[in-house]
Structures are given as C-alpha cells and as structure tokens.
Amino acid sequence: MEQGPSVPPADRPGSAPAVLPQGSLCSSPEPAFGVIHEALGAELEAHGLAVVPGFLSPAEVGLLRSCAAATRAGGRFRPAGVGRGPSFRIRPEVRGDEVYWLDAGRDGHAVSAWMARMEGLRAAINARLFLGLFGYEAHFSHYPPGASYQIHLDRFADAPLRTLSVVLYLNRNWRSGDDGRLRIYLERAGCRPWRDVMPAGGTLVAFLSDRFPHEVLPAARSRWSLTGWFTRRP
Ligand code: OGA
Ligand code: MN
C-alpha cells in the first residue's frame, strides 16, 4: 500500500483571493443542518463511515466549484505529492491530482461559509462520538481525466493527527460512465468487501482516517473535490 498523504505546505503562496459569484452558501436554517449532522453522526457511530448525498444543494456546490475553478485558472493549484519535508515527492503514478490548500481568511465567502459549516459538523460529531476533533485542514482537488490516487490511508506517520476524513464532491451532472469512484476498503486494503462512492456534486463522505484504506479510480472527465481532515489536538 502506498503511504503518506500530502500535507499542507508550511507557507502557502500568497496571492489575491479568488473572485467569487455572490451568493449565500450554506444559507439553510440551522435546524436543517442539525438533522443532517445528526444522521451523519449516527452512521459514523455505527460503521466508522458515512455517505451523505445532498449534503450541500446544487447552488451551494456551484459556488464552491466556481471558487475552485477560478483558483485553478489563477495558476494556484499545485501537483499533489506524497510525504512531507525531505520525503515529499511528486509521483503521478501514485497520485495524479493537483491541489490548492484552503485559507479561510483569503479564499472568499464560499470557503469561509464551508469552514463555518465544518465547525458545526465538528461540534456535532464531538458531542456524539467523543473523537476529540480539534482542527480542520482541507484542499480543493482536481483530477484531470485518467488521473487516480492509489490505495492509501489518510492517517500515517506524516499526518498522525488526522482523525476523520471528509470529502465533498463538486462535480455537476456526473454520470456512472464518468467513473472516478472513491473505493473504500471495509476490511483489508485491496480486498472485498469495499464500498464505491460516485463523486456526484453535493455528496459528502466521512470516514475514520486510520481505519479505511481507499483509492480514487480514474475518471473520464475532470473530477473536482474538496477534501479535508479533522485533526485531534497535538
Ligand atoms: C485524498 C483522497 C478521495 C477523493 O485526497 O486523500 O483520498 O475521492 N481523496 O477525492
Ligand atoms: Mn485519502
């Protein structure tokens, strides 16, 4: 199994915030979030893994996708690597995506609204599962057609604090023929049983970072996601 997720760079390249269409991401009333977060918590508690289609509305997903696309058009995505520090390597045969690490203070309204929403989710999950979730780090990810990410764990020596992985898909009109599934191995890496998730816009997947090896299968189209990790206190 390939090891070592990429981690946020110590210094992010400074540049102007992405230009965003105006809109109100995550504008539903709090109780609606509460119901979704409760359901997600219950599924996580039962299985260590939860898949929630429609976590965001198509309009909300559209705002984040526009932000990601504008950021990439501005040249601010970088090839994702594996490992950290001296062991950092760009290895497209292991991992073919490019990423942009989010910065709530600089990335505009859609990203700060997403961060606020994740703060609500963090509190809801801590109240139910006592995971001690503390911080949150996240990047936009773009897989060009044909790119993949080999089997890996998100918690590894390079990122020992990662506790809950949370992936939100940003793709519009995804069809089954586009593929690009996230394959999550439920017992052993590379073996059945597994669970496949299509990267349809608005679907959110959450799983315990140290428990589930997973991989991204190649897609026929550009594949966009917002991938983040809740970390425990150092
Ligand atoms: C990752 C990852 C899954 C996906 O970035 O570590 O596993 O479906 N992403 O994009
Ligand atoms: Mn991963």
Side-chain angles (χ1 to χ4, degrees):
M1 184 181 3
E2 281 299 333
Q3 46 177 269
S6 75
V7 293
D11 53 333
R12 300 186 174 88
S15 43
V19 178
L20 274 179
Q22 288 301 307
S24 54
L25 181 71
C26 308
S27 58
S28 331
E30 283 294 328
F33 291 173
V35 170
I36 295 175
H37 295 177
E38 272 299 305
L40 197 158
E43 210 176 317
L44 267 184
E45 193 168 29
H47 308 292
L49 162 70
V51 180
V52 185
F55 186 83
L56 289 190
S57 70
E60 291 165 335
V61 172
L63 290 175
L64 282 168
R65 185 176 52 243
S66 301
C67 178
T71 305
R72 182 162 180 267
R76 294 198 281 149
F77 275 55
R78 297 281 174 268
V82 290
R84 185 188 345 221
S87 70
F88 181 85
R89 298 278 184 282
I90 308 287
R91 293 179 61 196
E93 73 287 4
V94 174
R95 167 162 203 194
D97 60 331
E98 42 182 7
V99 303
Y100 170 80
W101 288 95
L102 300 186
D103 181 339
R106 289 212 294 239
D107 292 335
H109 174 73
V111 166
S112 26
W114 174 254
M115 294 294 188
R117 176 94 192 248
M118 287 298 95
E119 178 52 26
L121 181 61
R122 187 184 73 84
I125 290 176
N126 274 347
R128 182 176 194 125
L129 281 98
F130 308 108
L131 287 175
L133 305 182
F134 178 66
Y136 176 71
E137 58 188 21
H139 59 57
F140 286 131
S141 187
H142 171 256
Y143 289 77
S148 60
Y149 189 168
Q150 287 184 9
I151 302 177
H152 64 280
L153 271 178
D154 285 347
R155 157 117 48 110
F156 216 78
D158 280 333
L161 302 179
R162 286 182 178 175
T163 301
L164 187 71
S165 304
V166 179
V167 187
L168 172 77
Y169 295 109
L170 303 178
N171 306 297
R172 188 168 35 190
N173 299 331
W174 200 262
R175 297 169 218 277
S176 58
D178 296 327
D179 206 354
R181 283 165 287 168
L182 169 65
R183 176 161 291 173
I184 303 170
Y185 295 98
L186 302 180
E187 287 167 16
R188 282 182 49 211
C191 302
R192 288 186 183 276
W194 59 62
R195 176 145 183 205
D196 282 351
V197 182
M198 273 294 175
T203 296
L204 181 130
V205 187
F207 55 90
L208 296 173
S209 303
D210 62 349
R211 193 161 125 194
F212 295 99
H214 54 282
E215 69 180 311
V216 176
L217 302 177
R221 288 166 53 187
S222 269
R223 178 188 189 276
W224 296 89
S225 57
L226 193 172
T227 300
W229 297 272
F230 288 111
T231 53
R232 60 190 163 79
R233 204 185 280 271

